[in-house]
Amino acid sequence: MMRFTNTTWLMLASLTCLSGNAVAQSLAGPEKLAAPALTAQPSRDSAELIFRSVLRKPGDDGSKAYRIPGLATTPSGALLAVFDIRYDGSGDLPANIDVGLMRSDDSGESWSGMQRILDFDQSQPGSFGNGVGHPTIVIDRQTGTIFVAALWSHGNRGWKGSEPGMTPEETGQLVMTQSTDDGLTWSPPINITAQVKRPQWRLCFNGPGAGIQLRDGTLVIPAQYRESDGTPHSCFIYSRDHGQRWDISPPAIPVGPPTSESQIAELDDGSLLLSMRDESRSGQRAWAKWTWSELEQVESPSAPISGEWSAHWSVVDDPTCMASLLKHPNGKLLFSNPNHPSERIALTVRISDDEGRTWSEGRLIDSGECMYSCMAVLADGSIGILYEVDDTLTFARFSYDWISSGK
């Protein structure tokens, strides 16, 4: 396990423009994952045609809680789960939190041991645990590089404690780690805060959950920032040069309900659909569509993006919670969240065939107290979902036909 001091950090910050291959070759990654081991006995509910297993529970590897799931399938078919290791309890940053990863080579039937892929030295004085968490995973399928972005809080620099500025002493830092060997080893953290944050903002960071790669190769990670007065806005960060340089979009809703955690999907016409957590406590999910400028195709990778957001709309009950949005290979959109306007209960997966304007009644995945979730299409064509229940991460797998046949 690698830990990083502030001195080491100053050297790492200069690597923000290196390519994935360059970073992998110039930095020594941590040791490879432990030998695969089944973490929990799986179960199948024959009445619902759904497979389940508990991936992480309180007490595993000495941590009191596990939260904030991300899930993605690599080009080789490996399934990667990322999450917060919250050692001292379920509370958010600042705290002693690391980003963990587990791997499955059989579509979630069994899983490897846990690896810590982002981990700062929690013993540094005044660091409040020096935590890093809230991960988003995205895969460049053209190069094979896998990126995991997260928020680093050196001191009280989480959601509430961050202030305007750019340094770790002033504001939370947006960092990334990357793998060029299918998720087996990972680079030390790379700081991209200066690339995407404005000095007047209190905070700028990622998702969490999963990002996407567009048909033209652009990498997109859902993101959010807080203005100087604290107002949050959902947006996205993107790279058109395979992760060497990152930039940020305009806010999806510049005037209107404040929004934060989001997920994103590319629609058939190349536009982007953003699903957002509405911080006004409206009891519904907020949505907006980004349409690229016609000139976008001829601009250089280093040029700012051009395009515009649609007027936002609200649809689907939502208790102000992170949710998952997924574009299925058949073209349909899938969405998962707690199906209630005010309580985090009844995790449900829905389908839309009109670009997120309307949604099916969906299928119930878990009737209990459920919170964050993240979906991925697995190597065998089924759909996987990793979700939170009471500081525990549960993995479930089901077919698209099972979801589409729900009423």
Side-chain angles (χ1 to χ4, degrees):
M1 179 175 66
M2 302 185 73
R3 292 186 180 271
F4 301 95
T5 65
N6 287 349
T7 301
T8 305
W9 173 251
L10 294 176
M11 295 186 291
L12 295 175
S14 66
L15 297 171
T16 58
C17 292
L18 288 176
S19 68
N21 289 336
V23 171
Q25 293 169 1
S26 63
L27 298 173
E31 294 181 359
K32 291 190 176 183
L33 293 168
L38 189 65
T39 59
Q41 291 297 319
S43 66
R44 286 178 174 81
D45 188 328
S46 59
E48 294 185 309
L49 301 178
I50 188 169
F51 166 93
R52 307 174 194 272
S53 65
V54 174
L55 189 64
R56 295 274 85 185
K57 63 183 185 300
D60 287 349
D61 290 301
S63 180
K64 292 182 178 179
Y66 290 91
R67 288 204 59 203
I68 322 297
L71 195 67
T73 302
T74 74
S76 74
L79 181 60
L80 302 182
V82 294
F83 44 83
D84 276 10
I85 311 169
R86 299 192 170 189
Y87 296 99
D88 299 326
S90 59
D92 295 333
L93 293 167
N96 181 17
I97 298 173
D98 295 336
V99 174
L101 176 142
M102 295 177 71
R103 176 191 183 95
S104 174
D105 291 316
D106 53 15
S107 294
E109 290 281 342
S110 61
W111 294 83
S112 71
M114 185 181 75
Q115 184 183 15
R116 294 167 178 83
I117 64 172
L118 281 169
D119 177 9
F120 290 90
D121 185 0
Q122 59 94 17
S123 68
Q124 290 187 5
S127 68
F128 284 68
N130 220 5
V132 56
H134 208 261
T136 304
I137 185 169
V138 65
I139 297 174
D140 189 329
R141 300 183 183 280
Q142 296 179 355
T143 67
T145 302
I146 305 166
F147 300 87
V148 174
L151 174 63
W152 170 39
S153 173
H154 178 71
N156 184 17
R157 297 296 175 257
W159 178 263
K160 295 180 179 179
S162 288
E163 299 289 344
M166 301 299 289
T167 69
E169 291 72 32
E170 297 169 310
T171 189
Q173 302 291 295
L174 178 51
V175 298
M176 286 187 170
T177 181
Q178 53 192 19
S179 172
T180 58
D181 58 6
D182 208 46
L184 295 177
T185 61
W186 294 82
S187 75
I190 303 163
N191 193 338
I192 67 166
T193 306
Q195 297 182 30
V196 298
K197 185 181 183 293
R198 308 294 182 259
Q200 66 271 24
W201 295 347
R202 287 178 176 265
L203 185 62
C204 179
F205 65 114
N206 56 292
I212 60 174
Q213 184 172 37
L214 308 185
R215 292 190 291 269
D216 67 2
T218 301
L219 299 173
V220 176
I221 292 177
Q224 56 191 303
Y225 70 88
R226 299 188 73 195
E227 294 184 20
S228 58
D229 66 359
T231 302
H233 293 284
S234 302
C235 56
F236 62 87
I237 64 172
Y238 64 96
S239 174
R240 292 186 289 183
D241 55 12
H242 303 289
Q244 296 184 59
R245 170 75 196 182
W246 295 85
D247 289 288
I248 194 166
S249 78
I253 308 177
V255 179
T259 57
S260 58
E261 296 167 331
S262 63
Q263 287 285 266
I264 200 162
E266 184 179 23
L267 302 177
D268 290 341
D269 64 358
S271 60
L272 303 179
L273 178 65
L274 195 67
S275 173
M276 298 165 278
R277 170 173 165 161
D278 183 348
E279 294 293 341
S280 73
R281 303 298 195 269
S282 68
Q284 287 201 310
R285 197 75 180 166
W287 307 78
K289 178 179 175 180
W290 170 266
T291 301
W292 303 99
S293 165
E294 293 181 359
L295 299 177
E296 187 65 24
Q297 297 299 321
V298 299
E299 292 177 353
S300 68
S302 61
I305 61 169
S306 55
E308 62 179 1
W309 289 102
S310 70
H312 74 277
W313 68 94
S314 297
V315 67
V316 181
D317 285 348
D318 187 73
T320 315
C321 187
M322 180 268 186
S324 181
L325 180 64
L326 177 68
K327 178 72 172 293
H328 192 272
N330 66 12
K332 306 293 186 181
L333 292 171
L334 302 179
F335 174 74
S336 66
N337 79 324
N339 184 18
H340 195 278
S342 60
E343 297 183 41
R344 293 180 172 184
I345 59 173
L347 184 69
T348 300
V349 177
R350 306 172 187 269
I351 295 175
S352 175
D353 57 9
D354 60 3
E355 300 186 336
R357 295 287 177 174
T358 62
W359 293 86
S360 69
E361 293 184 9
R363 280 281 199 174
L364 184 66
I365 300 298
D366 195 309
S367 62
E369 295 183 1
C370 302
M371 299 188 294
Y372 290 24
S373 61
C374 188
M375 293 184 289
V377 177
L378 309 184
D380 62 3
S382 60
I383 300 160
I385 185 169
L386 186 63
Y387 63 97
E388 300 177 342
V389 179
D390 193 23
D391 298 335
T392 294
L393 293 176
T394 297
F395 173 78
R397 188 179 68 235
F398 47 85
S399 70
Y400 175 84
D401 288 344
W402 179 70
I403 295 295
S404 63
S405 63
K407 296 183 179 181

